[in-house]
Amino acid sequence: MWQDKWLPIVLITLLGLLQYRLWFGKNSIPDYLSREQEVKTQAQQNANLAQRNALLNADITDLKVGLEAIEERARNELGLIKQGETFYRILPPETK
């Protein structure tokens, strides 16, 4: 009688162990889903950094090519005023 039932019992036990490993073990489905989310987050960060790098490369090219970019930067960051120019400073209205 036991000789007929040992194979299904062993197979069901193996199936249970494999299911446990699939859902709760190392490299399980929840691990895969969390890694997939991490990959999406990292891909977004990489895209942002690539866009920033493109802007920096454009800035570098502008600075290498012409003096207009250097002059613009000096005006914005250092407050450059050429001789013969009049500087006007517009202040926002005071709030009470």
Side-chain angles (χ1 to χ4, degrees):
M1 180 168 174
W2 280 99
Q3 294 172 348
D4 296 338
K5 296 187 179 194
W6 71 271
L7 184 62
I9 291 172
V10 169
L11 291 177
I12 289 173
T13 304
L14 285 175
L15 179 65
L17 290 173
L18 289 174
Q19 284 293 316
Y20 176 80
R21 185 169 179 194
L22 176 69
W23 291 102
F24 303 110
K26 184 179 178 184
N27 298 327
S28 62
I29 290 178
D31 287 342
Y32 169 76
L33 294 175
S34 69
R35 295 283 188 255
E36 190 175 36
Q37 183 61 37
E38 289 175 14
V39 167
K40 287 180 184 177
T41 303
Q42 189 63 47
Q44 180 63 36
Q45 288 176 354
N46 289 347
N48 291 343
L49 290 174
Q51 183 180 13
R52 190 188 101 209
N53 287 345
L55 290 173
L56 289 174
N57 282 334
D59 246 2
I60 290 169
T61 304
D62 283 346
L63 290 172
K64 285 181 180 178
V65 170
L67 294 176
E68 294 86 20
I70 295 172
E71 183 179 335
E72 177 186 344
R73 200 160 236 196
R75 285 178 180 273
N76 289 335
E77 294 177 8
L78 303 174
L80 172 74
I81 302 171
K82 290 183 179 180
Q83 278 187 329
E85 287 185 336
T86 305
F87 177 72
Y88 294 99
R89 185 174 196 178
I90 301 172
L91 298 174
E94 292 184 22
T95 57
K96 291 184 180 182

